[in-house]
Amino acid sequence: MSAAEIDGFAERIRSHRGGMISAWVGIPDATLVNHLAQEAFDAVVLDMQHGMWDMPSAANAVGQVRLAGKPALARIPVGDFASASRLLDAGASGIIAPMINSVEDAQALVRTTKYPPAGERSWGPSLALNYTGLSGDDYLKNANALTVAIAMVETRAALDAIDGILGVAGIDGIFVGPSDLSIALSNGDQVAPNAAEIDSAMQHAVSRCRAHGKFACAYAGDGERAGELLKFGFDLVIAGAETTQLRSGARRAINAARRIASA
Amino acid sequence: MSAAEIDGFAERIRSHRGGMISAWVGIPDATLVNHLAQEAFDAVVLDMQHGMWDMPSAANAVGQVRLAGKPALARIPVGDFASASRLLDAGASGIIAPMINSVEDAQALVRTTKYPPAGERSWGPSLALNYTGLSGDDYLKNANALTVAIAMVETRAALDAIDGILGVAGIDGIFVGPSDLSIALSNGDQVAPNAAEIDSAMQHAVSRCRAHGKFACAYAGDGERAGELLKFGFDLVIAGAETTQLRSGARRAINAARRIASA
Amino acid sequence: MSAAEIDGFAERIRSHRGGMISAWVGIPDATLVNHLAQEAFDAVVLDMQHGMWDMPSAANAVGQVRLAGKPALARIPVGDFASASRLLDAGASGIIAPMINSVEDAQALVRTTKYPPAGERSWGPSLALNYTGLSGDDYLKNANALTVAIAMVETRAALDAIDGILGVAGIDGIFVGPSDLSIALSNGDQVAPNAAEIDSAMQHAVSRCRAHGKFACAYAGDGERAGELLKFGFDLVIAGAETTQLRSGARRAINAARRIASA
Amino acid sequence: MSAAEIDGFAERIRSHRGGMISAWVGIPDATLVNHLAQEAFDAVVLDMQHGMWDMPSAANAVGQVRLAGKPALARIPVGDFASASRLLDAGASGIIAPMINSVEDAQALVRTTKYPPAGERSWGPSLALNYTGLSGDDYLKNANALTVAIAMVETRAALDAIDGILGVAGIDGIFVGPSDLSIALSNGDQVAPNAAEIDSAMQHAVSRCRAHGKFACAYAGDGERAGELLKFGFDLVIAGAETTQLRSGARRAINAARRIASA
Amino acid sequence: MSAAEIDGFAERIRSHRGGMISAWVGIPDATLVNHLAQEAFDAVVLDMQHGMWDMPSAANAVGQVRLAGKPALARIPVGDFASASRLLDAGASGIIAPMINSVEDAQALVRTTKYPPAGERSWGPSLALNYTGLSGDDYLKNANALTVAIAMVETRAALDAIDGILGVAGIDGIFVGPSDLSIALSNGDQVAPNAAEIDSAMQHAVSRCRAHGKFACAYAGDGERAGELLKFGFDLVIAGAETTQLRSGARRAINAARRIASA
Amino acid sequence: MSAAEIDGFAERIRSHRGGMISAWVGIPDATLVNHLAQEAFDAVVLDMQHGMWDMPSAANAVGQVRLAGKPALARIPVGDFASASRLLDAGASGIIAPMINSVEDAQALVRTTKYPPAGERSWGPSLALNYTGLSGDDYLKNANALTVAIAMVETRAALDAIDGILGVAGIDGIFVGPSDLSIALSNGDQVAPNAAEIDSAMQHAVSRCRAHGKFACAYAGDGERAGELLKFGFDLVIAGAETTQLRSGARRAINAARRIASA
Ligand SMILES: [Mg+2]
Ligand SMILES: [Mg+2]
Ligand SMILES: [Mg+2]
Ligand SMILES: [Mg+2]
Ligand SMILES: [Mg+2]
Ligand SMILES: [Mg+2]
């Protein structure tokens, strides 16, 4: 896939064609990401909130995702907006910010991910210029469109503020975190991302996104759940983290070996 | 699993109870290894020949394997025997040396992996002392028994020399590399690790190991093939590399999502 | 020590049996930590405020501390609460947050280190699940109890607010930083962590902790001072940083060599 | 250059002798920095805002700059004041903080870079003690003078607040970021750091610094522009980033080769 | 540039169209390599003999070179043939082996860089499969053609054996190291890579390559010398290391600034 | 200490003034090395044979040792002579090669550590030029004198060949490894570096060095033994590894704390 196709991701996800599936990686190794990106994913998310990426390894991983012809997104740690612009400088196609619980949180995200006048992203797109092949002037004009700012909705407060958050100019879409949402809605009683109550919240989120003309993403713990979320109308879903996929692949291999060996 | 159980690996594999399955990892990240080691593997091999481990990352990974209650083995680069003893110092339970094509090659492996009088392994078991909990004197007395030296048989020359190799004192077992063997036996014509010709070579290898009272290991590209190799009598087999398992897990998740989404 | 014993640290320190001594490490190397943890420490603190750890190296070090059968704590940089939850995800048994000068600061610490309803810690305990051996549900139920949130008291403002800070639900204990405290109390005039004025402040801190049923920790620059602090009633003390211990060990070795050589 | 001369940087730049040129490095490699520091630069800035440094690599780079006999400065990510004090602990001679747009921002910078009573920098100057050769007491007394806190002025708000920012005790000087300033002043229309409008703003900034008895620094994209800025009276200027210098050096070598080959 | 074009490098250099200029990098940072590869180089060499690359960083750098649309070559440490095949597995388009002084040395190089029957390269092209997009079977069939094995001629012995070396099947070309050659020819008296004596040796080397139908490469310390070597008929030349280019670019920027400032 | 003083180490150790004590570090962290080098050591050895250094971390550590005003030596892995020249390029003042058991081994060491005509060290002293401040020509002329090649004598074979080894031009001195020697002399029965038999071998080694006009070094496990070895006439001794010193310092601190707390 050419750079133009990779950088077309933002337009594709904003067009609500839907049906996108992204990989999700917390293990901080750039070559692992290249292997995973060979599969039929539409994008790869580098998780810096619960994964162990640091900036140099994440920057290398963005390169390896692009080398595989795919766009890279990054989830930043809670409130670490300074990392958001560094990751865009490193060529990421979008930022997923966790725990965006209010209009103010959403504005803070926009501030560091969008150039003026939309935000106050600071100038310094070193690798992004190399990768996109754009001149500085063209990058400035187009970067706000070529990259996406995605607000995570995963608390009661965020659900309450969802219209406000979606109404913030520069927020391109939302990403529902069902595990945290289930913990929040149960007051810490259970982590139940697939519960009926979460289904309703998710469908509500999709419909609010539609109303605002913005896109909706969500995390699913496995492929089956990811399929259900796509049916809810999400534009992009996760189908399990890389460790889940690794372990399920390993478990199946072990089981096959044991079954055949004892046949 | 306690340190004693981890360090009992060498005795277990030498006892020919068979049926062991090991993970195989080339991605140089220690935390990935911990996740993988949660599955029902009997050991984890760090592949430094075709994988990208360096010494500090491999040392950390040995620790993460042990923390998961499993023994770690390491495959060294071709002829890099100096790394063999460093990995044992770092707590590895065994060394797999590629391209051991002659008695001389086998002796070189023993020289760096076994203390005198069996070999000339140099003293310096820093982390290994911490992990095993042994005093220096006890480690010296027991290290040759607690760790295994495994010679890869993967060329025509190695097959021809297999009895000589197995006859070298200090060689604990062999590891058949069927991909390289198939390339060798076909004079570079094909990589066909599951071909009938390879089956024969493998069964021959198992029977020569039995004759010498030594153990036999082999690489299989997936779980099904691993099961077949266990039926051949191998003591320990690989059931695919971590990248294969990761990608198969990811592929299944994507497929499940697509199937359900379009149902 | 088993995982259960390691994870029993939080209960032990809350039980006020006292007398605990922890290592303190700023050098960002996981294997160093394993060596140090062989000594009779009750815990190891990874110092990310004045030490040079990044997230991947700290995650590996937590593993190496646990492999040595000990709990790992981490001191985060000032205000970097996002790192607090990442370190708990990586298996740390507690977080020490510097410069907690007010009730609001203490609440911010609780927010990222305790799951709802106590706080808003986000879900993603990847390595922590592996290490504790708990299911997701059990981890959610028990994590707030199994890990500790520790507020550093090291300014005039913090001393003034100490009852408020200790009154914040979710704050498990405090950690007195006598160097910063001595600088603060002297208005920048001296770094005198062992001054009489500091002794009083420390004894006051211990007594306020007792009143609130919470535990008290403190930093001592060497073993002698650590002993005094234990006599003050602190539950856990530091007996010098690793660089101090390394250099004192080296100095003694050099001196012994010179003395004997010139005898 | 001796440690005393390196640590004399703060006094030199405060003395308004002017004419200083610093290197600027975003590539996170400490040995690259040593090579670059062989050239006739007066200082080296490690850029953590748009460059990819993490803390361990930056700490090593500070050492390599000092080994080349030069002072190292570090630009921190937006709002990441916790890193400011870590870098000073690691031996940096000054901190450049981006996007200081108000008196409150300037006070936050001072708080983490100056010891009491000027600020609240926390005690822990591990490597800085080694490098300066000072005792703890002497370091405490002198650190505020030996290191500089530099506020970036690069938005409309910052220009408006420039006298307030310069009036904050502990702010040693300012650093004008002309690219961001040009984007801000054009409402996102252009990145034109050398425009006439920017010239005026820069000359204004220099004159306000003079009025407050503080020093002025600025970024120039190449040597020619750096020369112009020195004529404006800036005390220290950048003459292009290391990637610009690397690429210009490479381009010239390629062109020379092509020209001679085709002669 | 597409993968096919990148992987067409081997064919291009074997076709004797000449005039190729490659970058040369010893600083072990993958992102630096991407910046440098934006300039009009035909390839990038990662120098592991005198540079400080380790395997993981080199593997990432190969990816960054390819992402810039260029082929990556790697110079291995003296005699470290095991690294040669690891680098090819990581996607390098060729290996430059230093100090190939005899037919035996050349055969050792071929042994690890070419699959049977030409050599004994071991199977495991993980990243290379991803990057080339070839199946395993196709990679096996084509890898010997798609990658090049280059023998360094840089001693008296090598010059004497040049026809023998060039006669080894699998050696694709040679690379003349004029600094070492000048030291060798002067018996350690001088490092004079541009001396007349070296010119003769170089022209002789080119003519012997032509006679054997193989290509010739050489190191030049700067662009001017590179141009001269291209006129000698070399197929690919270096125009200075990255540190030389970086420092020359920096020096010019400083000089320009000083000149204008004092105008 | 200035560069000239650091680079005077080779002359100092060759002058047989004796009494030198070096640090010894296997933990691969450059900042740890700087802390240790603050103590009264004459040099620091980076142990790559049993320690976990890789090339980039060792290169950074050499810089940190020099920044502390001391010379850095490196012990290479067994037979890894390619690393020897890379470490000299990185500024190391000497190479200690383990398991030099014959004249041929000694010649191999000289070949990669000395420029022609003494050896065949390849040209590429990147950082070494920066650190020494020498021009290329001056470095070529002086490097063989400014750096030392040290052969480890630690086997029966080496003892037998000691005069031959010492007779190899370019071998500057030997380093006795008493642990390996005790294992060798006891045929693997015990690691007893302080046994009487080892004393004799060591005194013999010193006397053979004196006869050949070369210097003698040795490893001692602690300061007391180091003092005894200095009395034997060794020119440079080790007084325990850094992990021994770290743990002894930690143990003393713990013991002091416990003693005082229970007083
Ligand atoms: Mg969440
Ligand atoms: Mg193989
Ligand atoms: Mg403090
Ligand atoms: Mg800016
Ligand atoms: Mg050469
Ligand atoms: Mg030894």
Side-chain angles (χ1 to χ4, degrees), chain E residues 17-43:
Chain E
R17 272 172 277 172
M20 299 177 91
I21 302 176
S22 177
W24 184 271
V25 187
I27 299 289
D29 186 274
T31 51
L32 174 141
V33 167
N34 186 275
H35 288 291
L36 189 53
Q38 303 302 314
E39 296 300 322
F41 291 112
D42 298 290

Side-chain angles (χ1 to χ4, degrees), chain B residues 54 56 82 86 89 116-117 122-123, chain F residues 48-54 180 188:
Chain B
D54 58 2
R86 293 177 86 184
D89 293 344
S122 174
W123 183 253
Chain F
M48 298 183 82
Q49 184 194 8
H50 295 295
M52 296 298 150
W53 296 97
D54 58 2
D180 273 322

Side-chain angles (χ1 to χ4, degrees), chain E residues 49-50 75 99 152 154 177 180, chain F residues 122-123:
Chain E
Q49 184 194 8
H50 294 295
R75 179 164 74 165
M99 295 283 166
M152 285 196 76
E154 49 182 344
D180 273 323
Chain F
S122 173
W123 183 252

Side-chain angles (χ1 to χ4, degrees), chain E residues 28 47-54 57 75 77-80 99 101 154 179-180 183-184 187-192 247, chain F residues 54-56 59 81-83 85-87 89-90 112 115-117 120-127 130 136-137 140-141:
Chain E
D47 177 17
M48 299 183 81
Q49 184 194 8
H50 294 295
M52 296 299 149
W53 297 98
D54 58 2
S57 56
R75 179 164 74 165
V78 177
D80 183 6
M99 295 283 166
N101 294 332
E154 49 182 344
S179 292
D180 273 323
I183 295 172
N187 294 313
D189 214 49
Q190 55 175 355
V191 50
R247 289 183 59 176
Chain F
D54 58 2
M55 200 52 64
F81 298 115
S83 288
S85 59
R86 293 177 85 183
L87 290 156
D89 292 345
T112 56
Y115 286 116
E120 302 170 9
R121 179 180 167 194
S122 173
W123 183 252
S126 52
L127 289 162
N130 295 357
D137 277 335
L140 177 64
K141 283 190 177 52

Side-chain angles (χ1 to χ4, degrees), chain A residues 48-54 77-78 99 101 154 179-180 183 187-191 247, chain C residues 54-56 59 82 86 89-90 116-117 120-124 126 130 136-137 140-141:
Chain A
M48 299 183 81
Q49 184 195 7
H50 295 294
M52 296 298 150
W53 297 98
D54 58 2
V78 177
M99 296 282 168
N101 294 334
E154 49 183 343
S179 291
D180 273 322
I183 294 172
N187 294 314
D189 214 49
Q190 56 176 356
V191 51
R247 291 183 58 176
Chain C
D54 58 1
M55 200 53 64
R86 294 177 85 184
D89 293 344
E120 303 171 9
R121 179 179 166 194
S122 172
W123 184 253
S126 52
N130 295 356
D137 278 335
L140 177 65
K141 282 190 177 51

